[in-house]
Amino acid sequence: MSALLDVRGLRKSFGTTEILRGIDFSVAARELVFIIGPSGSGKSTMLRCCNRLEEPTAGQVVVDGVDLMARGSDMNAMRRQFGMVFQAFNLYPHMTALGNVTLALRKVLGKSRDEAEAIGLAALDRVGLKEKAPSYPSELSGGQQQRVAIARALALEPKIMLFDEPTSALDPELVGAVLGVMRDLKASGMTMVVVSHEMRFARDAADRIVFMADGQILEQGTPAEIFGNPQHPRTRDFVGELSR
Amino acid sequence: MTGLERFQEAFLKPELIARYWPDILSGVAVTLQIAVAVVITGLALGLVLAVIRSYRSRLANAPIIVFVDVFRALPPLVAILIVYFGLPSLGINISGFAVLWLVLSLVLAAFAEEIFWSGIVSVRKGQWEAARSTGLSHWQTMTSVILPQAIRICVPPLTNRTIAVTKNTALGTVIGVGEIMNEGTSAMSLSGNATPLMMAAVAYILIFVPVVVLGSWIERRFAWKRA
Ligand SMILES: Nc1ncnc2c1ncn2[C@@H]1O[C@H](COP(=O)(O)OP(=O)(O)O)[C@@H](O)[C@H]1O
Ligand SMILES: [Mg+2]
């Protein structure tokens, strides 16, 4: 099976500290890969290296056969292959929900205002927030803000969606709606890489679980394998800790 | 003579007001011209420098930081005198008006750069990441996402600094620019009375109070809707 995303030998150092110590990891089209691991193990850094928000120190990131690290490639165009959803939502506070979703459509893809708004409304509709189009982020709940952020990424039709702890900043009662949107995305065939501690969601939605610690992938497998029969002692500790 | 009459005699003599108001008025026109020119070029240059600094190129940043520190530290009067008396010996002849405009623009630019820069860095990093992850370039992120948020924070300190720097147009009097202060002091020495200075003071107040009002209006305009 050819991979949609192929990460090879990814390394990242901040100063003299090596945070990612050789990551090899690939994701097939339509696959939902969950990344778990202790805090500080480099999960966010790995996601951010994929779309080069963080510049990798070494390694390759290949999307659909195209090497993103190749010299002379158009960085801004490359980045759009990924949609990224952040723990802190990062909506633009001075723009409405629709403004948030249409900004890149207009500035990057050069769509007209009408075109961009039609696409933007469709994206907001996908996350169930069409009627919130004129609302400002400060008028939305955290869960709604995160769904607008997902719509903002979806509107650009990325090949892969990256989620960095999308529900960690949410009150428990708001988590469900965001996970619901992610389930719908999965059902619609989106390829997704999710860093999250939502273990129930991982169990029933993930195709594969990757366990990271100290900047390395220690183990990966199906949810049943990782949760039911972890091989590495650190995975065992981590999973045991979570299910306690 | 009552106290009030004595006060009026010293500071608000009607015949002196009648004699000198055209002079003060022409000073107002000159002050306004310089002030407007300084505000436009000073703020624009400050913004440009702050945006250049955001690219974090060491080559560009070192001269910007040196420029900013020098012009923030130097008393404007010193800079004005150096430029006014220095340039002619280099064979460059520019008017006192131009010297005043140039120096005050540079001073305002130095302070404005620092204010814009602190506004830019106060916008959370996540805003950059969100914008860049959707394919916006550095420039597009700056103009569409960062500056609209940064400038809002910058308006109050910028208003204060702009007023403080443009008040220095009064220094034009030492290099013969016919602005308010110059007209006021020459009328004072001719008449031997403080009335022209009071007229100058009133003129400054009439000019700068609207600027303060304008500042708070802009502040409100840049405040986006909040729940
Ligand atoms: N910009 C940075 N500069 C220096 N160190 C960083 C930076 N970003 C992350 N780190 C460090 O890298 C390590 C991994 O961070 P992160 O990828 O956020 O881990 P995780 O997401 O798994 O919690 C942490 O020790 C963190 O302090
Ligand atoms: Mg993280």
Side-chain angles (χ1 to χ4, degrees):
Chain A
M1 188 173 52
S2 81
L4 181 58
L5 169 64
D6 203 10
V7 175
R8 287 283 152 245
L10 186 66
R11 289 176 180 275
K12 174 67 185 176
S13 303
F14 290 110
T16 54
T17 340
E18 189 163 52
I19 301 299
L20 296 181
R21 303 188 295 157
I23 302 268
D24 296 298
F25 146 80
S26 64
V27 182
R30 309 171 83 87
E31 199 179 13
L32 194 167
V33 175
F34 232 79
I35 298 177
I36 60 173
S39 166
S41 55
K43 306 180 297 294
S44 299
T45 306
M46 204 241 323
L47 285 191
R48 297 149 52 78
C49 280
C50 286
N51 65 353
R52 288 176 73 179
L53 277 182
E54 213 71 79
E55 202 56 36
T57 313
Q60 262 193 322
V61 177
V62 180
V63 178
D64 223 358
V66 180
D67 183 0
L68 300 198
M69 300 300 156
R71 279 179 170 279
S73 56
D74 177 354
M75 265 313 305
N76 298 325
M78 295 295 182
R79 284 216 176 96
R80 258 187 293 121
Q81 317 242 22
F82 296 95
M84 194 160 202
V85 175
F86 306 86
Q87 180 174 354
F89 328 137
N90 298 343
L91 291 185
Y92 314 132
H94 58 301
M95 294 181 190
T96 62
L98 187 59
N100 269 274
V101 177
T102 53
L103 180 67
L105 289 167
R106 295 175 55 203
K107 298 275 169 190
V108 182
L109 300 186
K111 306 263 186 216
S112 70
R113 179 181 284 270
D114 287 350
E115 249 182 314
E117 289 190 347
I119 298 169
L121 284 172
L124 285 173
D125 199 26
R126 261 180 101 175
V127 300
L129 289 175
K130 198 175 177 181
E131 77 286 0
K132 295 291 184 188
S135 303
Y136 283 82
S138 58
E139 301 166 328
L140 301 173
S141 74
Q144 290 170 333
Q145 289 187 53
Q146 191 59 297
R147 283 147 69 197
V148 171
I150 293 173
R152 174 173 68 184
L154 282 182
L156 297 163
E157 300 186 350
K159 290 183 177 149
I160 303 165
M161 286 284 286
L162 308 174
F163 292 84
D164 192 357
E165 306 206 25
T167 57
S168 300
L170 296 177
D171 293 335
E173 72 274 16
L174 302 175
V175 169
V178 172
L179 294 182
V181 167
M182 292 169 68
R183 266 199 190 87
D184 293 346
L185 268 185
K186 159 82 174 147
S188 72
M190 178 60 78
T191 307
M192 300 157 77
V193 180
V194 180
V195 172
S196 168
H197 301 301
E198 298 290 340
M199 291 308 141
R200 277 206 29 212
F201 181 69
R203 242 180 259 271
D204 48 59
D207 298 302
R208 185 152 49 98
I209 313 268
V210 171
F211 177 72
M212 261 182 85
D214 300 333
Q216 287 179 308
I217 292 177
L218 294 189
E219 184 171 0
Q220 48 182 311
T222 63
E225 288 165 352
I226 298 293
F227 292 127
N229 185 23
Q231 300 302 305
H232 199 285
R234 296 210 44 191
T235 322
R236 230 172 285 150
D237 289 349
F238 186 78
V239 170
E241 197 72 32
L242 280 177
S243 46
R244 196 126 32 89
Chain B
M1 231 176 11
T2 68
L4 188 65
E5 278 165 350
R6 207 172 300 149
F7 178 83
Q8 197 183 31
E9 183 67 19
F11 291 108
L12 294 167
K13 227 174 159 180
E15 59 268 36
L16 291 182
I17 293 177
R19 192 184 315 156
Y20 288 114
W21 75 262
D23 292 347
I24 299 291
L25 202 63
S26 86
V28 166
V30 173
T31 294
L32 275 178
Q33 283 171 41
I34 302 175
V36 168
V38 164
V39 169
I40 292 171
T41 47
L43 293 183
L45 181 60
L47 180 58
V48 167
L49 291 177
V51 169
I52 292 175
R53 195 166 166 191
S54 76
Y55 283 87
R56 296 175 196 269
S57 131
R58 228 171 270 164
L59 205 69
N61 285 6
I64 290 176
I65 291 168
V66 169
F67 161 78
V68 165
D69 288 349
V70 165
F71 274 88
R72 289 202 308 169
L74 207 58
L77 178 58
V78 175
I80 287 168
L81 291 175
I82 289 175
V83 174
Y84 186 71
F85 293 106
L87 282 188
S89 37
L90 294 176
I92 304 167
N93 278 306
I94 62 174
S95 66
F97 183 100
V99 169
L100 194 56
W101 164 74
L102 179 68
V103 171
L104 293 185
S105 291
L106 293 177
V107 172
L108 181 56
F111 282 102
E113 192 280 337
E114 276 303 292
I115 295 171
F116 282 124
W117 177 245
S118 66
I120 288 169
V121 297
S122 77
V123 176
R124 279 194 329 226
K125 212 168 146 243
Q127 295 286 308
W128 281 99
E129 295 178 346
R132 298 308 299 270
S133 76
T134 58
L136 265 70
S137 66
H138 181 103
W139 172 253
Q140 289 170 326
T141 303
M142 183 54 92
T143 52
S144 299
V145 175
I146 306 302
L147 284 181
Q149 298 181 56
I151 286 176
R152 193 175 151 274
I153 306 166
C154 294
V155 170
L158 274 181
T159 310
N160 290 337
R161 185 51 68 179
T162 299
I163 291 169
V165 172
T166 45
K167 275 187 205 163
N168 281 321
T169 50
L171 296 174
T173 186
V174 300
I175 54 171
V177 179
E179 42 68 57
I180 299 174
M181 199 58 194
N182 200 355
E183 298 297 336
T185 46
S186 28
M188 182 187 69
S189 23
L190 285 175
S191 63
N193 186 284
T195 298
L197 279 187
M198 282 303 279
M199 294 166 70
V202 170
Y204 278 117
I205 289 167
L206 290 181
I207 290 176
F208 284 107
V209 165
V211 178
V212 176
V213 173
L214 181 71
S216 48
W217 177 79
I218 295 173
E219 209 173 314
R220 264 176 286 130
R221 267 231 49 196
F222 271 98
W224 54 81
K225 217 170 148 190
R226 288 182 168 276

